[in-house]
Short mmCIF file of all heavy atoms in Angstrom, two decimals:
data_model
loop_
_atom_site.label_atom_id
_atom_site.label_comp_id
_atom_site.label_asym_id
_atom_site.label_seq_id
_atom_site.Cartn_x
_atom_site.Cartn_y
_atom_site.Cartn_z
N ARG A 475 98.51 -77.62 161.99
CA ARG A 475 99.11 -76.72 162.98
C ARG A 475 99.74 -75.50 162.26
O ARG A 475 99.56 -74.36 162.64
CB ARG A 475 100.17 -77.45 163.80
CG ARG A 475 99.64 -78.31 164.90
CD ARG A 475 100.81 -78.99 165.63
NE ARG A 475 101.64 -77.96 166.34
CZ ARG A 475 101.28 -77.45 167.52
NH1 ARG A 475 100.22 -77.94 168.16
NH2 ARG A 475 102.08 -76.59 168.09
N ILE A 476 100.43 -75.82 161.15
CA ILE A 476 101.20 -74.77 160.41
C ILE A 476 100.15 -73.83 159.84
O ILE A 476 100.24 -72.58 159.98
CB ILE A 476 102.09 -75.30 159.34
CG1 ILE A 476 103.14 -76.22 160.01
CG2 ILE A 476 102.74 -74.23 158.60
CD1 ILE A 476 103.89 -77.13 158.99
N GLU A 477 99.13 -74.36 159.18
CA GLU A 477 98.14 -73.53 158.53
C GLU A 477 97.37 -72.62 159.60
O GLU A 477 96.93 -71.56 159.28
CB GLU A 477 97.16 -74.31 157.69
CG GLU A 477 97.77 -74.78 156.35
CD GLU A 477 96.86 -75.61 155.48
OE1 GLU A 477 95.91 -76.10 156.03
OE2 GLU A 477 97.21 -75.84 154.32
N ALA A 478 97.18 -73.29 160.73
CA ALA A 478 96.41 -72.51 161.76
C ALA A 478 97.30 -71.49 162.40
O ALA A 478 96.88 -70.71 163.27
CB ALA A 478 95.86 -73.47 162.77
N GLY A 479 98.61 -71.40 162.03
CA GLY A 479 99.50 -70.41 162.63
C GLY A 479 99.87 -70.69 164.06
O GLY A 479 100.16 -69.83 164.87
N LEU A 480 99.83 -72.02 164.44
CA LEU A 480 100.18 -72.37 165.77
C LEU A 480 101.71 -72.40 166.08
O LEU A 480 102.11 -72.54 167.24
CB LEU A 480 99.55 -73.75 166.18
CG LEU A 480 97.98 -73.75 166.07
CD1 LEU A 480 97.55 -75.23 166.38
CD2 LEU A 480 97.46 -72.77 167.07
N ASP A 481 102.49 -72.26 164.94
CA ASP A 481 103.96 -72.25 165.22
C ASP A 481 104.47 -70.84 165.07
O ASP A 481 105.54 -70.59 164.61
CB ASP A 481 104.62 -73.09 164.04
CG ASP A 481 104.24 -74.54 164.25
OD1 ASP A 481 104.07 -74.98 165.40
OD2 ASP A 481 104.04 -75.24 163.23
N ALA A 482 103.72 -69.82 165.64
CA ALA A 482 104.05 -68.48 165.41
C ALA A 482 105.36 -68.15 166.12
O ALA A 482 106.09 -67.22 165.64
CB ALA A 482 102.95 -67.53 165.97
N ARG A 483 105.81 -68.86 167.13
CA ARG A 483 107.00 -68.49 167.87
C ARG A 483 108.27 -68.71 167.01
O ARG A 483 108.46 -69.77 166.48
CB ARG A 483 107.07 -69.27 169.11
CG ARG A 483 107.86 -68.59 170.28
CD ARG A 483 107.96 -69.54 171.41
NE ARG A 483 108.61 -70.85 171.06
CZ ARG A 483 109.90 -71.06 171.03
NH1 ARG A 483 110.72 -69.98 171.25
NH2 ARG A 483 110.38 -72.20 170.74
N LYS A 484 109.03 -67.67 166.78
CA LYS A 484 110.20 -67.75 165.94
C LYS A 484 111.41 -67.31 166.65
O LYS A 484 111.34 -66.44 167.59
CB LYS A 484 110.03 -66.86 164.73
CG LYS A 484 108.79 -67.11 163.84
CD LYS A 484 109.11 -68.00 162.70
CE LYS A 484 107.93 -68.43 161.85
NZ LYS A 484 106.61 -68.05 162.07
N GLU A 485 112.57 -67.92 166.36
CA GLU A 485 113.79 -67.47 166.93
C GLU A 485 114.87 -67.27 165.88
O GLU A 485 114.69 -67.69 164.67
CB GLU A 485 114.26 -68.48 168.04
CG GLU A 485 114.46 -69.87 167.42
CD GLU A 485 114.56 -70.91 168.50
OE1 GLU A 485 113.50 -71.28 169.15
OE2 GLU A 485 115.67 -71.35 168.71
N TRP A 523 114.93 -65.67 160.86
CA TRP A 523 114.05 -65.83 161.97
C TRP A 523 113.15 -67.00 161.65
O TRP A 523 112.47 -67.06 160.59
CB TRP A 523 113.11 -64.59 162.08
CG TRP A 523 113.80 -63.47 162.81
CD1 TRP A 523 114.32 -62.39 162.22
CD2 TRP A 523 114.00 -63.33 164.21
NE1 TRP A 523 114.88 -61.56 163.15
CE2 TRP A 523 114.63 -62.18 164.36
CE3 TRP A 523 113.70 -64.12 165.31
CZ2 TRP A 523 115.03 -61.70 165.68
CZ3 TRP A 523 114.03 -63.74 166.53
CH2 TRP A 523 114.70 -62.48 166.75
N GLY A 524 113.08 -67.96 162.52
CA GLY A 524 112.26 -69.13 162.15
C GLY A 524 112.01 -70.09 163.33
O GLY A 524 112.57 -69.96 164.41
N ASN A 525 111.22 -71.16 162.97
CA ASN A 525 110.97 -72.21 163.95
C ASN A 525 111.85 -73.38 163.58
O ASN A 525 111.73 -73.99 162.51
CB ASN A 525 109.45 -72.57 163.70
CG ASN A 525 109.03 -73.66 164.66
OD1 ASN A 525 109.79 -74.71 164.81
ND2 ASN A 525 107.89 -73.51 165.32
N PRO A 526 112.83 -73.75 164.45
CA PRO A 526 113.85 -74.73 164.10
C PRO A 526 113.26 -76.08 163.73
O PRO A 526 113.71 -76.74 162.78
CB PRO A 526 114.74 -74.79 165.32
CG PRO A 526 113.99 -74.11 166.45
CD PRO A 526 113.01 -73.16 165.81
N ARG A 528 110.25 -76.74 162.39
CA ARG A 528 109.66 -76.72 161.09
C ARG A 528 110.75 -76.61 159.97
O ARG A 528 110.56 -77.18 158.97
CB ARG A 528 108.70 -75.55 161.01
CG ARG A 528 107.50 -75.67 161.94
CD ARG A 528 106.65 -76.92 161.54
NE ARG A 528 105.52 -77.12 162.53
CZ ARG A 528 105.08 -78.27 162.80
NH1 ARG A 528 105.59 -79.38 162.29
NH2 ARG A 528 104.09 -78.35 163.67
N ASP A 610 105.00 -69.56 155.94
CA ASP A 610 104.87 -69.16 157.36
C ASP A 610 106.10 -68.38 157.71
O ASP A 610 106.15 -67.58 158.68
CB ASP A 610 104.74 -70.40 158.21
CG ASP A 610 104.49 -69.99 159.67
OD1 ASP A 610 103.61 -69.13 159.89
OD2 ASP A 610 105.13 -70.60 160.56
N HIS A 611 107.22 -68.50 156.95
CA HIS A 611 108.47 -67.74 157.23
C HIS A 611 108.64 -66.61 156.20
O HIS A 611 109.77 -66.20 155.94
CB HIS A 611 109.65 -68.71 157.14
CG HIS A 611 109.80 -69.66 158.31
ND1 HIS A 611 108.97 -70.74 158.53
CD2 HIS A 611 110.57 -69.59 159.39
CE1 HIS A 611 109.26 -71.37 159.67
NE2 HIS A 611 110.19 -70.62 160.25
N GLN A 612 107.54 -66.19 155.57
CA GLN A 612 107.49 -65.13 154.59
C GLN A 612 108.50 -65.39 153.45
O GLN A 612 109.16 -64.48 152.88
CB GLN A 612 107.96 -63.74 155.23
CG GLN A 612 106.86 -63.01 155.91
CD GLN A 612 106.53 -63.71 157.27
OE1 GLN A 612 107.48 -63.89 158.01
NE2 GLN A 612 105.25 -63.96 157.50
#
Side-chain angles (χ1 to χ4, degrees):
R475 281 181 67 82
I476 299 163
E477 283 180 345
L480 297 178
D481 294 324
R483 205 182 60 80
K484 303 264 176 357
E485 56 194 77
W523 279 102
N525 180 314
R528 294 297 173 213
D610 188 44
H611 286 77
Q612 278 75 49

